[in-house]
Amino acid sequence: MIKRLLAATGIATLCLITGASAAEKIDMWVRSGIGDSFKKVVEAYNSTHENQVAATEVPFSELVQKYATAIAGGQAPDALSMDLIYTPAFAAAGQLEDLTDWAKQLPYFSSLSPSHVRLGTYQDRIYGLPLSVETSVFAWNKDLYRQAGLDPEKAPTSWQEIEANAEKIRKLGDDTYGFYFSGGGCGGCMIFTFTPLVWGSGADILSADGKTATLDTPQMRKAVDIYRGMVKKDLVPASAASDNGVNFLSFTNGKIGQQSLGAFAIGTLVTEHPDINFGVTLIPGVDGGTSSFAGGDNFVVTKGTGKLDAVKEFIEYVYSMKGQKVMAKYGSLPTRGDIADKVLEGLDPRMHVGLEAISVAKTPYTLQFNDLINSANGPWATFTNAAIFGDDVDGAFANAQSEMQSIIDSGQ
Amino acid sequence: MTGAGRKQQSFSRKRRRRSQWRGLLYIVPAMALVIVFFVVPVIFTGWMSLHNWPLMGTQRWIGFNNYFRMFNDSRFMSALNFTAYYTVIVTIAIFAIAFPLATFVERQRRFVSTYRTIIFLPVVIGLATASLLWVWLANVDSGFIGPALKALGLVERSPNLLASFDSAFLTIIVMVVWKIAGFTMIILLTGLQAIPAELTEAARIDGASRWQRFRYLTLPLMRRTIALALIISVTGSILAFDQFYIMTSGGPQNRMISVVYYIFNQSFVSFNLGYGAALSIALLIILVLISIAQLRLLKVGEERP
C-alpha cells in the first residue's frame, strides 16, 4: 500500500516537473511608440511554439526608470526590448546577463547590425543583441501635395522648399497644417527628428568624445530659426507646443502635410492607415546634406533569470527569415545584414529609404543619454521647447549649453 | 494603621500599573503600524541620505555631502520657490471658494444635502484621475475648454492652455480648487455647525452687523477648525506632484517642477537615491517647521483669550 502510494506521488511529482519545464512563460517589456513589429513577432512566435512570451508595453519615457526600480526591487522581467542607447549604462551596472559565448556561435553573428552590437558590448563582453532597427526619415502626404498644386512625386530637398510647401498646404483649410513635430518637451522625439538638421550640415550637439556640449552652433541657430518661423507663420498645429510624444504619429490623421518620422511609422502607416498616400525621403540638413538618427532596440536579458534557454529560443526565432519578415512588415528594418534584401523583397518599397538612411545616420554614444536627452525635464527637451516656442532664444541656448555641460561634468 | 495604609497604596499602585499595561496593549497595533510604515522608513531614509546611493550598484558613505550639495543646487532652489508660490496661491484660492461654500451649505434650505453632495463629489475622484480628465478638458483640438471658448466666439481660435506657463498654471489651480474645495468645505462646515445658535442670536440682539458677527464671533470660534483645514491644505500643496507630472510633465520649460517632482527626478530618473533621500529629509523638516509655525500663529492648544 505504502509502496503504491510512494510510486503514485513519485509519478505525480515527475509529471509536475516535466509539466513545468515543458512550457516556459517569458516576461518581456517593450517600450511604447515603436510600432507593432514586436507585438506581431511575439504573436507569431506564441502561435507556433510551446514556450510563450508575455509582452508588456511600458511608456517609452518611463521604461528606464521602471526597469531600474524593478531590478532594485527584484521584480524585473526576464528580458527587455531596450532602447539601444541605454545598453551600456545597464551593462556597466552589472544588471544584464552575459550573452557573449552563445551570441558568438550564432552562424550569422557577424552580420548583425554593427551599431547595435557596438552599443551592446561593454568591456569586450556582449550584453545586448539587435532586436529592431529604425532610422528617421522625412515624410510628405501626396494627396495634400496634389491638392495644394504641388508635384506629389517630387521630394523636397531643402528646408526652404519644405517651408514654402507648408505654406501652400496650410491654405487648404482651417485644420490642415503644413508641418508637425512633438515639441512639448519630448527629448526623444526631437533628437530623432530634429538633430538630423544639424548633423546633415556637419555640426553636432556633443563633441566626438561626448565630454563637451556643443549645442550653440550656427547650424543649430539656423535649424531653430526654421522651426520658429514655421510656428510663427501658423503652419504647425497649436497642439505641437505641448505634445510630449503621445501624438508623435499625428501624420496618420491625414491633415498634416509633412513630418519627420521613423521607419517604424512607415510600417504603421502601410499596415494600419493604407488610405494615407505618402512619400518618404532623407531628412535634409540646414545647409544641404542629409542625415538621420539610427536607433532601435537591443535585446537584453536580466541577470539571473531562470528562463535563459527559452529566451534564447525566442531570439533565434526573431533572427530567422520568418521572424525578420514579420518584423519588417510592421516597420522594423532587418537586423541581419546577410538576408536584408531578401527580407525586404515584396515589402513596401518605401522601407528601402529607411535602409538607405543607415549609411548617413548617427547614434550618439553617452552613458548619460537619459539625463541629457530623453528625460522630459532634461536640458535637451527643455531647450527644444524654449528655443522654438519661447520668447528668449539666446537664453534658451545659454541655459541648455551650461546645464548639459554641468551634467556631463558631474558624471565624470 | 500605617501598615494597612501602605498595603492600600501598593494595591492601588499595582492596579494603576496594570491599567497602564492594558492601555499600552490597546495602542500596540497603532504603534506597530506607525513604526513599520513611518518611523523605520524615515530612519532608513536618513541612513540612505548619508550615502552616495545609486539605484543600481554599490553605495558609498559620504557623510553630510548630500546636504551640502543641496544649498548650491539651483534647480532645488527653484523647485522650492515654485512650490512656495503654488502653495500660497492654491491655499488662498481654496479658502476663498470653500468658506463661502461652507456658509452656503450650513443653513437649512431646500436641497441642501444635494448641494453638499455635488460640491463634495470631485473629492472622491483620485487626483491622478482628475488630472487626466483635465488634460483632456484642456486639449486644444479635442478637448472642451478651448473649443467651447471658440464656439462661444470669445476667442478667434482654440488656445493651447497647457503650452504657456500662465494659462497652464491657471488650469492646474482651477483643477485643484475644483477637486479639493469640497473637502475643505466639509471641514469648515463642522466648525460652523459647532457654534451654538444662541451666541449668534445674542449678538444679533445686541445689534452686531453681519460682518461684525463673522469677524468677532464666527472666526474666533472656528480657529481650531481653520487651523486643521489650513494645515491639511498647506501640507497637501507642498507635497503636490501628480498634477504637474500628468498635466504638464513639469510644465513649459521645466517651470512647474515642485519639490516632490524634483525628488522623484533625482531618485528615479537620475538614479541618485541618496541625494533624493537627503532632499526628502529636508522636505520633512520644512513641513514640520511650517506646521509648528501655523499652530503657533493660530494659537491652537492655548485656551480661549
Side-chain angles (χ1 to χ4, degrees), chain A residues 28-348:
Chain A
M28 245 195 107
W29 285 4
V30 57
R31 62 179 165 129
S32 65
I34 59 166
D36 289 330
S37 55
F38 185 74
K39 238 181 279 170
K40 294 292 177 186
V41 84
V42 165
E43 270 172 31
Y45 175 82
N46 284 349
S47 63
T48 53
H49 289 72
E50 213 167 311
N51 290 339
Q52 298 286 301
V53 175
T56 308
E57 213 173 14
V58 179
F60 67 95
S61 56
E62 287 163 25
L63 184 71
V64 170
Q65 63 248 42
K66 280 216 157 58
Y67 185 51
T69 35
I71 290 175
Q75 302 281 323
D78 299 304
L80 195 79
S81 166
M82 177 185 272
D83 195 332
L84 79 157
I85 45 192
Y86 296 131
T87 341
F90 280 87
Q95 304 298 337
L96 303 179
E97 195 72 53
D98 185 344
L99 302 171
T100 317
D101 300 331
W102 172 72
K104 285 203 168 147
Q105 56 84 35
L106 291 171
Y108 41 79
F109 174 71
S110 57
S111 56
L112 291 175
S113 163
S115 63
H116 282 61
V117 176
R118 177 174 66 93
L119 280 150
T121 307
Y122 177 74
Q123 293 184 345
D124 293 332
R125 306 299 288 176
I126 297 164
Y127 297 93
L129 288 170
L131 175 62
S132 54
V133 181
E134 96 157 332
T135 49
S136 47
V137 291
F138 180 88
W140 75 94
N141 185 320
K142 290 187 179 174
D143 290 338
L144 292 179
Y145 260 49
R146 195 173 297 122
Q147 286 171 36
L150 298 159
D151 178 2
E153 300 307 326
K154 189 185 167 298
T157 52
S158 72
W159 282 94
Q160 287 68 37
E161 203 179 333
I162 291 167
E163 190 172 334
N165 293 354
E167 280 178 53
K168 286 190 182 137
I169 294 165
R170 181 74 182 96
K171 292 202 181 97
L172 289 177
D174 253 359
D175 52 354
T176 309
Y177 290 88
F179 190 69
Y180 189 80
F181 59 96
S182 299
C186 180
C189 315
M190 293 303 273
I191 193 85
F192 189 62
T193 60
F194 185 59
T195 36
L197 270 71
V198 299
W199 285 343
S201 301
D204 203 344
I205 56 170
L206 296 172
S207 63
D209 61 357
K211 291 192 176 159
T212 318
T214 54
L215 193 65
D216 197 350
T217 54
Q219 287 94 329
M220 183 57 90
R221 293 259 173 189
K222 216 165 163 180
V224 165
D225 279 344
I226 291 166
Y227 271 49
R228 273 186 83 86
M230 285 197 280
V231 170
K232 196 172 259 170
K233 286 184 190 164
D234 191 29
L235 308 177
V236 181
S239 57
S242 57
D243 177 10
N244 56 11
V246 175
N247 296 322
F248 182 69
L249 287 184
S250 282
F251 189 75
T252 55
N253 69 17
K255 306 269 186 195
I256 305 290
Q258 308 166 98
Q259 191 189 342
S260 296
L261 327 141
F264 290 156
I266 301 178
T268 308
L269 280 162
V270 170
T271 52
E272 280 173 31
H273 304 273
D275 50 313
I276 296 202
N277 181 13
F278 68 101
V280 286
T281 184
L282 299 178
I283 300 175
V286 287
D287 298 326
T290 54
S291 188
S292 173
F293 181 103
D297 280 22
N298 259 344
F299 218 124
V300 299
V301 182
T302 310
K303 200 177 181 97
T305 173
K307 298 167 186 166
L308 197 56
D309 290 328
V311 173
K312 284 174 182 170
E313 188 195 74
F314 176 61
I315 303 182
E316 282 181 23
Y317 176 77
V318 172
Y319 288 156
S320 72
M321 189 68 184
K322 237 191 205 153
Q324 292 281 294
K325 271 260 186 208
V326 175
M327 296 281 288
K329 184 175 174 206
Y330 291 93
S332 172
L333 300 166
T335 40
R336 272 179 64 182
D338 55 339
I339 54 170
D341 287 332
K342 255 193 176 153
V343 168
L344 286 185
E345 212 170 79
L347 288 179
D348 198 281

Side-chain angles (χ1 to χ4, degrees), chain B residues 24-218:
Chain B
L24 202 63
L25 202 67
Y26 284 140
I27 59 164
V28 158
M31 293 264 290
L33 285 176
V34 170
I35 289 174
V36 171
F37 292 111
F38 180 71
V39 177
V40 173
V42 166
I43 292 172
F44 188 63
T45 308
W47 172 246
M48 281 173 83
S49 72
L50 303 176
H51 290 76
N52 180 345
W53 194 304
L55 192 58
M56 301 174 292
T58 51
Q59 54 267 28
R60 185 164 48 84
W61 174 269
I62 54 165
F64 283 91
N65 276 349
N66 277 332
Y67 291 91
F68 299 138
R69 175 178 165 189
M70 208 178 286
F71 289 98
N72 299 319
D73 187 345
S74 63
R75 284 189 290 170
F76 177 55
M77 291 303 155
S78 62
L80 274 180
N81 266 337
F82 171 71
T83 310
Y85 177 64
Y86 168 77
T87 303
V88 170
I89 303 271
V90 85
T91 305
I92 292 174
I94 287 175
F95 274 81
I97 300 289
F99 229 115
L101 283 180
T103 47
F104 172 71
V105 299
E106 194 235 344
R107 266 170 244 157
Q108 280 308 323
R109 57 178 92 211
R110 270 156 74 88
F111 306 125
V112 73
S113 50
T114 316
Y115 293 136
R116 283 180 194 167
T117 312
I118 290 175
I119 297 167
F120 193 71
L121 216 50
V123 177
V124 299
I125 306 174
L127 189 53
T129 320
S131 305
L132 279 172
L133 175 68
W134 278 73
V135 167
W136 168 72
L137 285 175
N139 187 292
V140 52
D141 299 318
S142 54
F144 175 74
I145 301 171
L149 289 176
K150 193 184 166 194
L152 290 172
L154 294 173
V155 287
E156 204 167 299
R157 46 181 309 185
S158 176
N160 189 348
L161 291 172
L162 299 178
S164 78
F165 178 82
D166 291 331
S167 58
F169 190 70
L170 184 70
T171 311
I172 287 182
I173 295 288
V174 172
M175 187 279 283
V176 172
V177 169
W178 168 80
K179 166 89 181 66
I180 305 289
F183 183 63
T184 311
M185 175 197 82
I186 293 288
I187 297 178
L188 295 176
L189 182 63
T190 57
L192 278 177
Q193 285 177 336
I195 299 174
E198 305 89 71
L199 281 180
T200 336
E201 205 87 329
R204 195 181 296 158
I205 290 167
D206 288 344
S209 70
R210 192 180 270 255
W211 165 250
Q212 280 172 326
R213 270 178 282 148
F214 178 73
R215 171 69 188 82
Y216 296 104
L217 197 73
T218 314

